[in-house]
Amino acid sequence: MGMKPGAGMKADAVVVGAGVVGAAVARALAVAGRRVVIIEQGVPGGAVSGASLACIGTHMMDEDELPLLKWCCDEWAAFAEAAPDFEYSRCGQLRFLKQESERRSADEWIGIETAAGLSPTLLDPEAVRRIEPELTGPIHAATWSPNSAVVNPFLAVRRLLEAAQAARATLVSRNPATALRVVGGRIAGVETADGPIEAGIVVIAGGPWTAKLAATAGVQLPIVPRKAQCLATVSVPRSIRTVVGACKAEGGVDAGYTQIQQAMSGQILFNTVLEGGVTAAGSPDDIPEVDRAFIRDSIATLLFLFPKFAEIDLLRSWVRYEAVTPDDRFLTGPAGPDGLFVAAGDGGTGFVRSLGMARIIADLVAGRESPFRRDLYDPARFDRRAAA
Amino acid sequence: MSGPMRRIETDLLVVGGGPAGLEAARAAAEAGIAVDLVDAGFRPGGQYWMQDPTGAAPLSVQGEEGAAAIAKSQASGVAFHAGAEVFAAFPDRRVLANTADGPIEFVPRAIIVATGAHDRAMPFPGWTLPGVMTPGAGQRLAKLGGASAGERVVLAGSGPFLLAVAETLVKLGKPPVALIEARHTDLAIIAHLARHPGRWREAARLLVAARAIPERRSGWIVTEAIGDERVTAIRIAPVDRSGRIDRDRSETIGGIDALLVGWGFRPMIELTALLRCRHEHDPALGGWHCITDRASGRTSVEGVYAAGEVTGIAGAVPARLSGRLAGLSAAADLGADTAGDESERASLGEQLARARAFSDGLGRLYAPPADLATLAQDDTIVCRCEEITRAEIASAFAAGTDAVAGAKIWTRAGMGRCQGRICGAAIADIAAAETGITPREAGFNPPRIPLRPVPLSAVLEATRDGQE
């Protein structure tokens, strides 16, 4: 068990949330020499992160974020060297096109990424099958990004937490931070049921729960929960080698998506959302079941691509709430009273970005220049746009 | 490939064809309600009233009772769907089941969940050896195939069900060679039985079966199963009245070829949990169980009723009574003319309270010993699907989680084909032993769709219209 907060628990920084973002932030701050307490309401990695398909790649993600995404991919590769036990696999990523009309979008992305020094290509169906032999469905073509990787999300969070703990960070789990402490206009720590944890810096990395905690200090954040769902088959012999997705079409935040991959356990993990995620009302604490249309679309897409899998057993489904922002980018940076920071708004692709968000927070706390465009993630960016 | 989906609209869907489900279905059908009953077995009857799959004459008293109950249900107009495994349910109460002929979608106005119970297994060294199984599995083998689990069987664990298995094996001409009951025989059991004369005959019958077993021990526990290809011997040790195991006085029983060991039953709550009914934890009722209003069988979710073991382990008599009550009240809630039923329901309620008092008392008397979670050693596999040992699970508890869900995320325990149905309760007990919390606080892994592994083609067929 982690420690319990009690009378006089003190730290330089409290990180709220032990998902991949919180674990990465805690690690970055602890390695920089700060005394860090990381507080988690449930099980570390047990909410959004553990339910993630944890793809580490730059392909068809976000043009403006490409420098940060490239840096993140290199950082993950370096972390896999340092802490090898989290099933990091640079398996590459295919994004299929069903018809000719999707070529324009594919060509555009390939152009953007090639200009940034990456090496995506467009493959015909025969070339696709050389990479992914069981993908025999009638696709038009697919883009291929050889550098994308996947990790085991549970193990990755664990390794990050262990790295933070090795740098003397303290983990408090199954203990929610109930409110922020603000004294004289400055952040002074967090409240818990067992008493306060005092700290001059608080970083909320609480995914869809972030806005609720920020509101206790009067800070309004435009983060809403969005239902995200996934299916898994029983373990089968290795039959999918890459991460298979749909070519990213227009539509931004609300566009649909597909992701299919096989975990090291042999389970095939897959999801397809055709009409785009629906932002859910209500609390992210009340996790519903998958819905029927999602099950149908996900299996139909999987079997369209991999018709041989029809008689494999479906084993499990799961639902989580991911945190989304109006422009689908993280809110990472200072917010509200001095000493308060947030790093949340994964938009369902937080795994790859988590190390970059941690870097931004660590630079801000240290008063260092960041190599990345902070304005993209500034929590106040929407206020400024409204004012302009 | 899966066959086409059938859609069945009905008033009431009863899930489970054991004593509770059969009684519930018949009561509602006799009240004039359209009732469909879905059961995973080849023939209805459930574990307790198990019927021979070939339709051969029943072996046991229970089998005969069951055959009569099935005939009555059929005569009342209940539509049976045997060999249909429920794998999904949605908040609008639609239920999906898979059969050899393709999936069925049920669109009922109300559901009665009577899914019964499964064996409560507890990991111990050697429990994965061939020849080691639960008493329930041994009973199924005997009732379905007319086969004993072995030539020289040891029955072990705790609870009166061990005697019911002994009775079946005696009838097969293969009486067990030993009975190792953890509970001490004492006056409390006799006193409890004395208060319920209605159960004396059953008790006497079971005692006759017990007498056919040459070696009987009470206050002893199996600590290890030994063998290379198969179990050939067991280690046993005394367990004192506070549940502590004294390994210094261990003995070995050799020359065996099967061990049936179990600690009673656990309610099968997957469907009620999926439907978001309220559940509570009580060790004497088998752990997590669905909360119902005892007089009506209503759960916390409108239109969903539960009856029998899923509402807390109590045995066949309360199962029948709670089934009938749930059937009558569901029929009334669905608008059947049930004038005149009030007095029957009141009387059923009283009978149910008496029957439950008996079984709750037995449940408390045969509570598993305190040291049960210490049987599994560091290298004992706890999660069989993913082959996760006790030490791995304990390391998760040491590292920052104390919940069943945490152990799963940390170690994959409970993530395999059985989705924690076999090991989940054991992991909660181990969490309690390692961290000092209660098994209740350790929680359980909420079930998700699908409740059982189902071919992708069948799931696609069943969801093809995608209606919400």
Side-chain angles (χ1 to χ4, degrees):
Chain A
M1 270 309 287
M3 289 185 56
K4 277 204 170 254
M9 192 174 202
K10 281 188 179 135
D12 296 328
V14 172
V15 177
V16 181
V20 67
V21 177
V25 169
R27 167 175 167 262
L29 295 178
V31 165
R34 293 206 151 63
R35 282 179 309 151
V36 176
V37 170
I38 177 163
I39 179 166
E40 162 60 42
Q41 63 178 350
V43 174
V48 188
S49 299
S52 161
L53 295 189
C55 179
I56 308 298
T58 54
H59 191 38
M60 294 190 186
M61 292 282 281
D62 185 319
E63 183 177 359
D64 294 334
E65 289 188 80
L66 264 180
L68 175 119
L69 288 166
K70 278 173 69 180
W71 183 87
C72 287
C73 289
D74 292 343
E75 277 295 289
W76 274 108
F79 186 55
E81 292 282 317
D85 189 16
F86 59 95
E87 300 178 359
Y88 175 91
S89 160
R90 195 177 283 186
C91 57
Q93 188 174 18
L94 287 163
R95 293 221 190 220
F96 69 93
L97 287 65
K98 265 187 171 171
Q99 53 229 351
E100 174 88 44
S101 59
E102 293 168 85
R103 275 292 290 273
R104 207 173 59 118
S105 172
D107 288 340
E108 233 169 72
W109 278 108
I110 288 174
I112 291 166
E113 289 168 29
T114 305
L118 297 160
S119 47
T121 49
L122 190 76
L123 305 179
D124 63 22
E126 200 181 310
V128 169
R129 279 191 274 286
R130 278 198 292 273
I131 292 170
E132 196 66 276
E134 305 285 346
L135 202 169
T136 59
I139 59 171
H140 172 72
T143 61
W144 168 238
S145 174
N147 289 321
S148 297
V150 287
V151 301
N152 176 318
F154 308 120
L155 295 178
V157 173
R158 250 170 101 171
R159 297 289 99 85
L160 287 170
L161 278 176
E162 285 164 6
Q165 285 168 308
R168 306 182 62 182
T170 302
L171 172 67
V172 175
S173 62
R174 290 188 92 189
N175 203 332
T178 50
L180 296 169
R181 283 164 66 82
V182 181
V183 177
R186 265 205 66 89
I187 205 81
V190 296
E191 304 287 353
T192 78
D194 296 329
I197 305 173
E198 292 174 34
I201 295 165
V202 172
V203 185
I204 313 177
W209 291 273
T210 300
K212 193 176 158 195
L213 184 62
T216 64
V219 179
Q220 305 303 318
L221 296 173
I223 295 180
V224 285
R226 179 174 65 194
K227 187 178 177 183
Q229 322 183 59
C230 197
L231 302 175
T233 69
V234 295
S235 293
V236 292
R238 184 130 297 272
S239 29
I240 302 181
R241 300 174 179 178
T242 68
V243 179
V244 180
C247 178
K248 193 166 175 180
E250 322 234 309
V253 184
D254 299 320
Y257 58 87
T258 283
Q259 190 170 335
I260 298 167
Q261 65 203 44
Q262 190 169 17
M264 294 276 183
S265 66
Q267 293 179 330
I268 297 170
L269 316 177
F270 62 108
N271 57 20
T272 290
V273 175
L274 289 186
E275 279 126 40
V278 179
T279 327
S283 159
D285 297 319
D286 182 23
I287 301 292
E289 294 303 323
V290 286
D291 50 66
R292 222 175 306 215
F294 167 78
I295 298 174
R296 175 200 62 199
D297 296 342
S298 297
I299 298 178
T301 306
L302 178 73
L303 298 186
F304 167 81
L305 298 169
F306 298 94
K308 268 193 193 162
F309 296 170
E311 298 314 309
I312 294 177
D313 280 348
L314 181 70
L315 178 68
R316 183 167 161 77
S317 61
W318 64 91
V319 176
R320 61 186 162 129
Y321 280 113
E322 56 199 20
V324 294
T325 64
D327 61 2
D328 213 18
R329 291 196 189 112
F330 265 87
L331 303 184
T332 300
D338 281 353
L340 179 63
F341 299 86
V342 297
D346 54 279
T349 53
F351 239 91
V352 58
R353 291 180 171 98
S354 57
L355 299 185
M357 298 304 116
R359 171 72 191 270
I360 291 175
I361 295 289
D363 285 344
L364 279 165
V365 167
R368 268 197 311 262
E369 271 305 304
S370 174
F372 310 121
R373 280 182 58 187
R374 277 184 196 156
D375 62 306
L376 289 177
Y377 309 105
D378 184 354
R381 64 188 182 270
F382 305 104
D383 305 340
R384 277 204 311 274
R385 272 175 220 169
Chain B
M1 282 304 283
S2 175
M5 187 189 67
R6 284 168 287 159
R7 171 174 295 130
I8 295 173
E9 294 187 14
T10 185
D11 289 330
L12 177 67
L13 177 68
V14 178
V15 182
L22 284 167
E23 292 292 338
R26 177 163 70 97
E30 284 173 355
I33 292 291
V35 183
D36 285 76
L37 185 148
V38 63
D39 189 78
F42 286 113
R43 285 161 55 81
Q47 306 295 332
Y48 183 75
W49 277 346
M50 193 170 292
Q51 301 297 300
D52 189 292
T54 62
L59 250 183
S60 61
V61 183
Q62 295 95 325
E64 283 167 25
E65 255 178 35
I70 293 164
K72 277 193 200 162
S73 265
Q74 260 156 352
S76 72
V78 175
F80 282 88
H81 308 273
E85 197 150 56
V86 168
F87 69 89
F90 296 91
D92 60 6
R93 289 198 289 271
R94 288 179 188 224
V95 170
L96 303 178
N98 196 31
T99 75
D101 303 324
I104 308 176
E105 180 182 49
F106 292 97
V107 188
R109 293 167 61 211
I111 301 173
I112 296 180
V113 180
T115 41
H118 39 187
D119 289 283
R120 186 178 194 283
M122 192 68 200
F124 64 96
W127 77 303
T128 54
L129 275 175
V132 180
M133 57 180 95
T134 60
Q139 183 83 327
R140 260 193 306 284
L141 258 182
K143 281 187 176 175
L144 285 178
S148 170
E151 292 300 313
R152 297 180 55 77
V153 179
V154 174
L155 268 173
S158 191
F161 180 65
L162 296 178
L163 297 180
V165 180
E167 188 186 24
T168 312
L169 294 180
V170 168
K171 274 195 190 137
L172 281 177
K174 302 269 171 64
V177 294
L179 172 67
I180 315 294
E181 163 65 61
R183 194 181 195 286
H184 292 258
T185 305
D186 61 15
L187 284 175
I189 293 176
I190 295 161
H192 182 66
L193 204 52
R195 283 193 293 274
H196 297 273
R199 309 305 282 264
W200 290 354
R201 220 167 80 186
E202 189 184 350
R205 219 182 62 218
L206 293 179
L207 282 177
V208 169
R211 284 212 195 93
I213 303 173
E215 170 143 23
R216 300 191 298 274
R217 305 235 189 167
S218 56
W220 286 72
I221 190 168
V222 176
T223 56
E224 187 180 357
I226 302 163
D228 294 321
E229 310 272 284
R230 186 181 174 87
V231 61
T232 52
I234 51 171
R235 293 284 283 169
I236 61 172
V239 50
D240 73 17
R241 282 168 198 281
S242 60
R244 302 294 159 203
I245 297 168
D246 182 1
R247 289 171 188 271
D248 293 341
R249 290 168 53 210
S250 290
E251 294 178 21
T252 302
I253 297 180
I256 69 163
D257 63 359
L259 169 66
L260 306 183
V261 55
W263 303 95
F265 297 92
R266 288 191 296 110
M268 215 181 277
I269 58 166
E270 283 96 344
L271 184 56
T272 47
L274 190 64
L275 287 163
R276 305 297 166 117
C277 304
R278 195 163 78 78
H279 292 76
E280 251 311 331
H281 188 276
D282 181 346
L285 298 179
W288 290 103
H289 58 282
C290 181
I291 296 298
T292 52
D293 168 40
R294 293 273 186 233
S296 65
R298 290 189 194 112
T299 69
S300 62
V301 175
E302 198 186 337
V304 180
Y305 304 74
E309 305 289 55
V310 71
T311 68
I313 299 301
V317 174
R320 291 184 73 165
L321 294 165
S322 65
R324 182 154 181 87
L325 265 171
L328 289 174
S329 63
D333 293 346
L334 288 168
D337 178 12
T338 52
D341 275 359
E342 284 79 6
S343 63
E344 191 198 345
R345 275 197 263 169
S347 148
L348 283 169
E350 282 164 28
Q351 292 174 56
L352 178 59
R354 251 199 321 279
R356 276 225 163 248
F358 176 73
S359 53
D360 291 0
L362 271 189
R364 276 170 231 291
L365 286 170
Y366 284 96
D371 270 3
L372 199 55
T374 68
L375 285 180
Q377 303 298 298
D378 278 354
D379 61 350
T380 305
I381 284 174
V382 173
C383 165
R384 302 172 77 143
C385 301
E386 298 286 326
E387 300 190 339
I388 310 297
T389 63
R390 183 198 177 103
E392 290 173 89
I393 290 168
S395 76
F397 295 133
T401 173
D402 57 4
V404 173
K408 176 174 170 174
I409 284 170
W410 226 246
T411 68
R412 298 190 61 80
M415 242 184 233
R417 191 163 178 105
C418 95
Q419 289 286 294
R421 275 186 294 280
I422 295 169
C423 64
I427 292 170
D429 288 343
I430 290 170
E434 297 281 338
T435 70
I437 62 167
T438 63
R440 181 187 189 286
E441 288 167 325
F444 63 92
N445 287 320
R448 298 285 181 209
I449 295 168
L451 294 174
R452 290 286 187 279
V454 191
L456 290 170
S457 59
V459 183
L460 181 59
E461 181 60 33
T463 52
R464 205 175 272 288
D465 73 353
Q467 277 184 41
E468 291 312 311

Coordinates of all heavy atoms in Angstrom, one line a residue, chain B residues 102-135:
Chain B
G102 N -27.6 -20.0 -33.6 CA -27.5 -18.5 -33.8 C -28.0 -17.8 -32.6 O -28.6 -18.4 -31.7
P103 N -27.8 -16.5 -32.5 CA -28.2 -15.7 -31.4 C -29.7 -15.4 -31.3 O -30.4 -15.4 -32.3 CB -27.4 -14.4 -31.5 CG -27.1 -14.3 -33.0 CD -27.1 -15.7 -33.5
I104 N -30.2 -15.2 -30.1 CA -31.6 -14.7 -29.9 C -31.5 -13.4 -29.1 O -30.8 -13.2 -28.2 CB -32.4 -15.7 -29.0 CG1 -32.2 -17.2 -29.5 CG2 -33.8 -15.3 -28.9 CD1 -32.9 -18.2 -28.6
E105 N -32.4 -12.5 -29.6 CA -32.5 -11.2 -28.8 C -33.9 -11.3 -28.2 O -34.9 -11.4 -28.8 CB -32.4 -10.0 -29.7 CG -32.6 -8.7 -28.9 CD -32.6 -7.5 -29.8 OE1 -33.3 -7.5 -30.8 OE2 -31.9 -6.5 -29.5
F106 N -33.9 -11.2 -26.8 CA -35.1 -11.1 -26.1 C -35.5 -9.7 -25.8 O -34.6 -8.9 -25.4 CB -35.0 -11.9 -24.8 CG -34.9 -13.4 -25.0 CD1 -33.6 -14.0 -25.0 CD2 -36.0 -14.2 -25.2 CE1 -33.4 -15.3 -25.2 CE2 -35.8 -15.6 -25.4 CZ -34.6 -16.1 -25.4
V107 N -36.7 -9.3 -26.1 CA -37.2 -8.0 -25.8 C -38.3 -8.1 -24.7 O -39.5 -8.1 -25.1 CB -37.7 -7.3 -27.0 CG1 -38.0 -5.8 -26.7 CG2 -36.6 -7.4 -28.1
P108 N -38.0 -8.3 -23.5 CA -39.0 -8.5 -22.4 C -39.4 -7.2 -21.8 O -38.7 -6.3 -21.8 CB -38.3 -9.4 -21.4 CG -36.9 -9.0 -21.5 CD -36.6 -8.4 -22.9
R109 N -40.6 -7.3 -21.2 CA -41.0 -6.1 -20.4 C -40.5 -6.2 -18.9 O -40.3 -5.2 -18.3 CB -42.6 -6.1 -20.3 CG -43.2 -5.8 -21.7 CD -44.7 -6.1 -21.7 NE -45.4 -5.3 -20.7 CZ -46.5 -5.6 -20.1 NH1 -47.0 -6.8 -20.3 NH2 -47.1 -4.8 -19.2
A110 N -40.1 -7.4 -18.5 CA -39.5 -7.6 -17.2 C -38.6 -8.8 -17.3 O -38.7 -9.7 -18.1 CB -40.6 -7.8 -16.1
I111 N -37.6 -8.9 -16.4 CA -36.7 -10.0 -16.3 C -36.6 -10.5 -14.9 O -36.6 -9.7 -13.9 CB -35.2 -9.5 -16.6 CG1 -35.2 -8.9 -18.0 CG2 -34.2 -10.6 -16.5 CD1 -33.8 -8.2 -18.4
I112 N -36.6 -11.8 -14.8 CA -36.3 -12.5 -13.5 C -35.0 -13.2 -13.6 O -34.8 -14.0 -14.5 CB -37.4 -13.4 -13.0 CG1 -38.7 -12.7 -12.8 CG2 -36.9 -14.2 -11.7 CD1 -39.9 -13.6 -12.3
V113 N -34.0 -12.7 -12.8 CA -32.7 -13.4 -12.9 C -32.6 -14.5 -11.8 O -32.8 -14.2 -10.6 CB -31.6 -12.3 -12.6 CG1 -30.2 -13.0 -12.6 CG2 -31.7 -11.2 -13.6
A114 N -32.4 -15.7 -12.3 CA -32.4 -16.9 -11.4 C -31.2 -17.7 -11.8 O -31.3 -18.8 -12.2 CB -33.7 -17.6 -11.4
T115 N -30.0 -17.1 -11.8 CA -28.8 -17.7 -12.4 C -28.1 -18.6 -11.5 O -27.1 -19.3 -11.9 CB -27.9 -16.6 -12.9 OG1 -27.8 -15.5 -11.9 CG2 -28.3 -16.0 -14.2
G116 N -28.5 -18.7 -10.2 CA -28.0 -19.7 -9.3 C -26.6 -19.4 -8.8 O -26.3 -18.2 -8.5
A117 N -25.8 -20.4 -8.6 CA -24.5 -20.2 -7.9 C -23.4 -21.0 -8.5 O -23.7 -21.9 -9.4 CB -24.7 -20.7 -6.4
H118 N -22.2 -20.7 -8.2 CA -21.1 -21.6 -8.6 C -20.3 -21.9 -7.3 O -20.3 -21.3 -6.3 CB -20.3 -21.1 -9.7 CG -20.0 -19.6 -9.8 ND1 -19.4 -19.0 -10.8 CD2 -20.3 -18.6 -8.9 CE1 -19.3 -17.7 -10.6 NE2 -19.8 -17.5 -9.4
D119 N -19.4 -22.9 -7.5 CA -18.6 -23.4 -6.4 C -17.7 -22.3 -5.9 O -17.1 -21.6 -6.7 CB -17.7 -24.6 -6.9 CG -18.5 -25.8 -7.1 OD1 -18.9 -26.5 -6.1 OD2 -18.8 -26.1 -8.3
R120 N -17.4 -22.3 -4.6 CA -16.5 -21.4 -4.1 C -15.2 -22.2 -3.9 O -15.0 -23.0 -3.0 CB -16.9 -20.9 -2.7 CG -16.1 -19.8 -2.1 CD -16.7 -19.4 -0.8 NE -16.1 -18.2 -0.3 CZ -14.9 -18.1 0.3 NH1 -14.2 -19.2 0.4 NH2 -14.5 -16.9 0.7
A121 N -14.2 -21.9 -4.8 CA -12.9 -22.6 -4.8 C -11.9 -21.7 -4.1 O -12.1 -20.5 -4.1 CB -12.5 -22.9 -6.2
M122 N -11.0 -22.3 -3.4 CA -9.9 -21.5 -2.8 C -8.6 -22.1 -3.2 O -8.4 -23.3 -3.0 CB -10.1 -21.5 -1.3 CG -9.3 -20.5 -0.6 SD -9.8 -18.8 -0.9 CE -8.3 -18.0 -0.5
P123 N -7.7 -21.3 -3.8 CA -6.4 -21.9 -4.2 C -5.6 -22.5 -3.1 O -5.6 -21.9 -2.0 CB -5.7 -20.7 -4.9 CG -6.7 -19.7 -5.1 CD -7.8 -19.9 -4.0
F124 N -4.9 -23.6 -3.3 CA -4.0 -24.2 -2.4 C -3.0 -25.0 -3.2 O -3.2 -25.2 -4.3 CB -4.7 -25.1 -1.3 CG -5.4 -26.3 -1.9 CD1 -4.8 -27.5 -2.0 CD2 -6.6 -26.2 -2.6 CE1 -5.3 -28.6 -2.5 CE2 -7.2 -27.3 -3.1 CZ -6.6 -28.5 -3.1
P125 N -1.8 -25.3 -2.6 CA -0.8 -26.0 -3.4 C -1.3 -27.3 -4.0 O -1.9 -28.1 -3.3 CB 0.3 -26.2 -2.3 CG 0.1 -25.2 -1.3 CD -1.4 -25.0 -1.2
G126 N -1.2 -27.4 -5.3 CA -1.6 -28.6 -5.9 C -3.0 -28.6 -6.5 O -3.5 -29.5 -7.1
W127 N -3.7 -27.4 -6.3 CA -5.2 -27.4 -6.7 C -5.3 -27.4 -8.2 O -6.4 -27.7 -8.7 CB -5.9 -26.2 -6.1 CG -5.7 -24.9 -6.7 CD1 -4.4 -24.3 -6.9 CD2 -6.6 -24.0 -7.3 NE1 -4.6 -23.0 -7.5 CE2 -5.9 -22.8 -7.7 CE3 -8.0 -24.0 -7.4 CZ2 -6.6 -21.7 -8.3 CZ3 -8.7 -22.9 -8.0 CH2 -8.0 -21.8 -8.4
T128 N -4.3 -27.2 -9.0 CA -4.4 -27.2 -10.5 C -4.1 -28.6 -11.0 O -4.1 -28.8 -12.2 CB -3.5 -26.2 -11.1 OG1 -2.1 -26.4 -10.6 CG2 -3.9 -24.8 -10.8
L129 N -3.7 -29.6 -10.1 CA -3.4 -30.9 -10.6 C -4.7 -31.6 -11.2 O -5.8 -31.4 -10.7 CB -3.0 -31.8 -9.4 CG -1.5 -31.8 -9.0 CD1 -1.3 -32.7 -7.8 CD2 -0.6 -32.3 -10.1
P130 N -4.5 -32.4 -12.3 CA -5.6 -33.2 -12.8 C -6.1 -34.1 -11.6 O -5.3 -34.6 -10.8 CB -5.0 -34.0 -13.9 CG -3.9 -33.2 -14.4 CD -3.3 -32.5 -13.2
G131 N -7.4 -34.3 -11.6 CA -8.0 -35.1 -10.5 C -8.5 -34.2 -9.3 O -9.3 -34.7 -8.5
V132 N -8.1 -33.0 -9.3 CA -8.6 -32.1 -8.2 C -9.7 -31.2 -8.9 O -9.5 -30.6 -9.9 CB -7.5 -31.1 -7.7 CG1 -8.1 -30.2 -6.6 CG2 -6.3 -31.9 -7.1
M133 N -10.9 -31.2 -8.3 CA -12.0 -30.4 -8.8 C -12.9 -30.0 -7.7 O -12.7 -30.4 -6.5 CB -12.7 -31.1 -10.0 CG -13.3 -32.5 -9.6 SD -14.1 -33.2 -11.1 CE -12.8 -34.2 -11.7
T134 N -13.9 -29.2 -8.0 CA -14.8 -28.8 -7.0 C -15.9 -29.9 -6.8 O -16.1 -30.7 -7.7 CB -15.5 -27.5 -7.4 OG1 -16.2 -27.7 -8.6 CG2 -14.5 -26.3 -7.6
P135 N -16.5 -29.9 -5.6 CA -17.6 -30.9 -5.4 C -18.7 -30.7 -6.4 O -19.3 -31.7 -6.9 CB -18.1 -30.5 -4.0 CG -16.9 -29.9 -3.3 CD -16.2 -29.1 -4.4

